[in-house]
């Protein structure tokens, strides 16, 4: 089960990254150009929200079935924090990714309450850009896509 979930999490991440980059660039470019917010923009931002939340669910399953998870009971938090690889997989990657998905959710929710195209696009641009930066900072590049 672990290997299946790991593969799913790794390959779904490509979709998340692609859609997040697309949604971010779309919002930034349209906001800077002063273009109108459209149904297409709504769909892109919603699809980004959905795929990110699915990735979160897959990641949570992976986290709890991972052999590394037992390090909490065998080694303890002090040893995990001393080992950069264990710290990345058990602390940094999950925490930062959860924060990034929270930013996507906040940006999506806030943009719906705005009345003008400029404000809607700006909300998506700001929150999705912050989320993208966080996601890119904590992808385990040396192990991805394995």
């Amino acid at each position: 089960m672990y290997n299946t979930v790991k593969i799913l999490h790794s390959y779904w991440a490509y979709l998340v990254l692609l859609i997040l980059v697309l949604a971010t660039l779309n919002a930034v470019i349209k906001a800077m150009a002063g273009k109108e917010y459209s149904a297409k923009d709504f769909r892109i931002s919603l699809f980004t929200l959905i795929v990110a939340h699915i990735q979160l669910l897959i990641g949570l399953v992976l986290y709890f079935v991972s052999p590394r998870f037992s390090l909490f009971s065998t080694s303890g938090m002090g040893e995990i924090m001393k080992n950069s690889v264990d710290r990345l997989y058990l602390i940094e990657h999950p925490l930062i990714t959860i924060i990034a998905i929270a930013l996507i959710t906040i940006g999506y929710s806030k943009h719906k309450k705005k009345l003008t195209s400029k404000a809607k696009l700006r909300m998506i641009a700001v929150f999705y850009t912050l989320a993208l930066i966080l996601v890119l900072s904590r992808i385990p590049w040396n192990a991805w896509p394995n």
Side-chain angles (χ1 to χ4, degrees):
M1 179 175 163
Y2 169 72
N3 286 331
T4 304
V5 176
K6 183 179 174 189
I7 290 167
L8 182 60
H9 183 69
S10 294
Y11 285 104
W12 193 265
Y14 283 115
L15 179 63
V16 173
L17 198 55
L18 177 71
I19 298 299
L20 182 55
V21 167
L22 174 71
T24 303
L25 289 175
N26 179 62
V28 168
I29 291 168
K30 287 185 95 169
M32 292 177 76
K35 294 188 177 181
E36 288 296 312
Y37 179 82
S38 67
K40 179 183 141 208
D41 302 318
F42 178 80
R43 280 190 228 103
I44 291 171
S45 61
L46 177 61
F47 191 62
T48 304
L49 177 81
I50 292 168
V51 296
H53 279 87
I54 292 170
Q55 178 71 342
L56 174 63
L57 293 175
I58 296 167
L60 287 172
V61 170
L62 179 63
Y63 186 76
F64 290 112
V65 300
S66 170
R68 287 185 199 271
F69 188 71
S70 65
L71 290 175
F72 282 114
S73 59
T74 58
S75 300
M77 188 61 114
E79 290 301 314
I80 291 170
M81 295 305 281
K82 289 177 188 174
N83 183 320
S84 63
V85 174
D86 291 337
R87 186 178 62 238
L88 174 67
Y89 285 105
L90 292 171
I91 308 297
E92 295 172 356
H93 178 73
L95 179 64
I96 297 301
T97 305
I98 289 169
I99 292 169
I101 293 172
L103 287 170
I104 291 169
T105 305
I106 292 167
Y108 180 80
S109 296
K110 284 185 164 287
H111 105 277
K112 291 191 312 181
K113 296 175 184 169
K114 299 299 179 186
L115 300 176
T116 65
S117 289
K118 185 177 181 178
K120 285 178 177 286
L121 290 166
R122 190 179 311 141
M123 278 296 126
I124 295 171
V126 168
F127 282 93
Y128 282 33
T129 300
L130 291 172
L132 179 61
I133 291 167
L134 289 178
V135 166
L136 289 173
S137 76
R138 288 297 145 227
I139 291 175
W141 294 106
N142 59 340
W144 200 40
N146 298 328

